[in-house]
């Protein structure tokens, strides 16, 4: 097991009716920027619950945060905070709105050009505007971690950043909010969380026995509840287990003491930036093909995953590992994922060239848990995904 530090100060407030607790969770002297997305919170009743809980507070609203939040949009929110001297951000939405809140939190007091936070991946360790969240779409785990991914529209880049100062002060998670979500968004949430676990688990054995069991239990839960919650989002047991699995998939716990990969996400971000494909659907396109290209260095964990999550029998590691990839593909198909880039765009022919060149220019030349995923392997993974 690798050495690690575990730090997570977020106060997670989970369950029915918990939005009402905002009145005690938000600092009493807060001047709030209420950050949200396209307006679904007005249709599903969440806005009304938030407004009732925060009656009497000084609130400035800022809507229109995109599903893949744009740097350009978020900089407008930064200016609103500066202009009105606001001192707290409340993000009401899914992972994109919460990721946007993290960037705004960091950018307001950043000494320099805030675009450097993204392009230079600057770690944010202090001097931020505090923020809380009300989660409306389980998927990213952003409600209980310190990472964020932002799109720079002008350069077609989707870049990650983070730092210990960017944990939410609190996050309110009421599973009942998913009842009004479109099926596509719930499908996306299941696959996003599933792939988050795989990025931290499907590497090589590191003797972290408990971490493996944590990861496998999340995967098993998502396999069990995923298809059912898509069809029955009003079932509270399904909704609660789905939401909690998404949070646990990326709140920092299962990554401690183990190697991690994240190249599926790195490639997937490029596909979203280029073609505006849903984040989760880019992961479904890339993930299984990455496992195939990197089979020789991942097959031990693939076989363990196959035996423990999919109950695949057999003593031959290679055979069980390949069946595990096939089982993953079938699950993704059950969850409504299309796993070819050509299903989303006709402009795919030069995608591998572009991504290989971009990774090389950024210096991303030794990636993955063994630092053996090179730009030429990225090319092979993308070409296999056409």
């Amino acid at each position: 097991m690798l050495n690690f530090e575990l730090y997570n100060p977020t106060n997670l407030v989970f369950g029915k009716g918990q939005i009402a607790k905002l009145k005690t969770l938000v600092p009493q002297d807060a001047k709030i920027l209420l950050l949200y997305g396209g307006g679904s919170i007005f249709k599903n009743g969440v806005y009304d619950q938030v407004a009732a809980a925060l009656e009497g507070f000084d609130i400035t609203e800022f809507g229109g945060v995109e599903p893949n939040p744009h740097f350009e949009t978020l900089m407008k929110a930064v200016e609103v905070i500066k202009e009105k001297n606001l001192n707290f951000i409340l993000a009401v939405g899914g992972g994109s709105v919460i990721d946007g809140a993290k960037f705004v939190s960091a950018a307001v007091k950043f000494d320099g050009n805030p675009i450097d936070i993204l392009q230079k991946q600057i770690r944010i360790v202090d001097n931020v505007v505090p923020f809380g969240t009300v989660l409306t779409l389980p998927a990213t785990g952003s409600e209980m971690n310190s990472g964020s991914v932002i799109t720079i529209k002008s350069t077609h880049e989707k870049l990650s950043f983070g730092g210990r100062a960017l944990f939410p002060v609190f996050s309110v998670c009421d599973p009942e909010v998913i009842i009004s979500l479109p099926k596509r968004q719930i499908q996306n949430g299941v696959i996003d969380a599933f792939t988050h676990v795989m990025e931290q688990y499907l590497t090589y054995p590191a003797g972290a026995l408990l971490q493996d069991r944590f990861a496998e239990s999340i995967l098993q839960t998502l396999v069990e509840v995923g298809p059912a919650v898509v069809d029955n989002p009003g079932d509270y047991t399904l909704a609660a287990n789905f939401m909690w699995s998404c949070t646990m998939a990326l709140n920092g716990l299962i990554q401690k003491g183990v190697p991690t990969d994240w190249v599926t996400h790195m490639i997937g971000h490029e596909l979203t930036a280029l073609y505006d494909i849903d984040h989760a659907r880019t992961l479904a396109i890339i993930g299984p093909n990455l496992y195939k290209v990197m089979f020789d260095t991942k097959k031990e964990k693939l076989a363990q995953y196959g035996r423990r999550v999919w109950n695949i029998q057999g003593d031959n590691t290679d055979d069980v590992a390949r069946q595990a990839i096939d089982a993953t593909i079938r699950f993704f198909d059950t969850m409504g994922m299309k796993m070819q880039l050509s299903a989303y765009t006709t402009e795919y022919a030069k995608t591998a060239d572009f991504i290989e060149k971009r990774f090389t220019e950024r210096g991303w030349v030794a990636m993955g848990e063994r630092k053996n995923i090179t730009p030429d392997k990225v090319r092979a993974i993308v070409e296999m995904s056409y």
Side-chain angles (χ1 to χ4, degrees):
M1 189 187 303
L2 307 180
N3 295 349
F4 66 89
E5 295 182 14
L6 177 60
Y7 172 76
N8 193 319
T10 299
N11 177 19
L12 194 83
V13 184
F14 189 98
K16 298 178 182 179
Q18 299 289 53
I19 293 175
K21 290 186 177 179
L22 284 173
K23 66 184 68 176
T24 59
L25 294 169
V26 173
Q28 292 304 301
D29 63 346
K31 296 178 64 178
I32 304 167
L33 180 76
L34 180 63
L35 195 72
Y36 55 88
S40 63
I41 63 171
F42 295 98
K43 300 174 184 176
N44 60 19
V46 172
Y47 177 87
D48 291 339
Q49 292 182 62
V50 170
L54 295 180
E55 186 177 359
F57 279 84
D58 183 337
I59 299 175
T60 299
E61 296 185 14
F62 188 97
V65 176
E66 300 85 0
N68 294 290
H70 293 174
F71 164 80
E72 294 84 353
T73 300
L74 298 173
M75 285 304 298
K76 295 177 183 177
V78 169
E79 292 307 313
V80 170
I81 289 180
K82 290 181 177 180
E83 177 186 340
K84 297 198 172 186
N85 196 29
L86 308 182
N87 60 11
F88 194 85
I89 303 166
L90 182 63
V92 182
S96 292
V97 174
I98 298 171
D99 278 11
K102 292 175 182 178
F103 178 79
V104 174
S105 169
V108 170
K109 299 182 180 182
F110 183 72
D111 184 15
N113 187 344
I115 203 169
D116 288 345
I117 296 172
L118 306 176
Q119 294 183 330
K120 297 181 180 180
Q121 293 189 310
I122 294 172
R123 302 297 294 175
I124 306 299
V125 298
D126 56 22
N127 206 27
V128 300
V129 177
F131 67 97
T133 87
V134 175
L135 181 66
T136 63
L137 173 58
T140 69
S142 192
E143 66 276 5
M144 201 179 181
N145 66 42
S146 60
S148 174
V149 184
I150 303 298
T151 296
I152 306 174
K153 186 178 180 182
S154 62
T155 59
H156 298 286
E157 294 178 282
K158 186 173 179 179
L159 300 171
S160 62
F161 77 103
R164 63 188 292 119
L166 295 176
F167 285 97
V169 176
F170 63 81
S171 285
V172 178
C173 302
D174 182 347
E176 290 187 315
V177 303
I178 79 161
I179 193 169
S180 62
L181 293 176
K183 284 188 175 184
R184 183 185 183 94
Q185 290 187 343
I186 300 176
Q187 290 169 334
N188 286 351
V190 172
I191 298 306
D192 198 1
F194 193 94
T195 310
H196 285 160
V197 178
M198 295 289 269
E199 295 274 38
Q200 300 164 90
Y201 166 78
L202 197 63
T203 55
Y204 59 81
L209 306 183
L210 184 59
Q211 298 305 85
D212 279 359
R213 294 295 189 185
F214 281 152
E216 290 154 1
S217 69
I218 298 169
L219 294 173
Q220 289 172 316
T221 303
L222 288 168
V223 168
E224 180 178 346
V225 307
V229 77
V230 170
D231 291 330
N232 301 285
D235 184 311
Y236 186 79
T237 298
L238 293 174
N241 281 282
F242 164 49
M243 181 174 276
W244 185 224
S245 292
C246 291
T247 300
M248 286 294 293
L250 201 59
N251 67 0
L253 179 62
I254 67 171
Q255 76 176 39
K256 300 307 178 184
V258 299
T260 60
D261 186 346
W262 297 109
V263 176
T264 296
H265 272 70
M266 294 166 74
I267 300 172
H269 289 164
E270 299 301 319
L271 298 183
T272 296
L274 286 170
Y275 306 117
D276 201 28
I277 304 169
D278 298 8
H279 171 61
R281 290 168 195 263
T282 70
L283 304 179
I285 292 168
I286 296 298
N289 293 319
L290 183 143
Y291 310 150
K292 292 175 183 177
V293 171
M294 304 307 300
F295 184 83
D296 287 342
T297 58
K298 288 185 178 287
K299 62 184 180 181
E300 289 181 82
K301 284 301 281 287
L302 273 166
Q304 177 180 313
Y305 158 70
R307 293 185 178 106
R308 293 186 180 180
V309 175
W310 295 110
N311 197 31
I312 297 170
Q313 305 299 311
D315 296 326
N316 186 293
T317 296
D318 285 25
D319 287 348
V320 174
R322 290 192 178 93
Q323 290 180 60
I325 297 174
D326 291 341
T328 306
I329 291 170
R330 288 194 297 272
F331 176 60
F332 286 2
D333 181 65
T334 298
M335 293 306 304
M337 299 293 114
K338 297 177 181 178
M339 284 162 279
Q340 299 81 35
L341 183 56
S342 55
Y344 298 94
T345 178
T346 59
E347 305 294 325
Y348 61 84
K350 295 184 178 180
T351 305
D353 295 338
F354 179 86
I355 295 177
E356 180 186 28
K357 180 181 178 183
R358 179 164 268 186
F359 278 29
T360 301
E361 289 173 346
R362 290 177 182 155
W364 297 356
V365 295
M367 299 166 287
E369 67 273 15
R370 296 183 188 270
K371 305 302 179 187
N372 63 346
I373 303 182
T374 52
D376 63 304
K377 288 188 170 68
V378 170
R379 164 185 283 277
I381 292 163
V382 176
E383 287 180 338
M384 190 180 290
S385 304
Y386 286 172

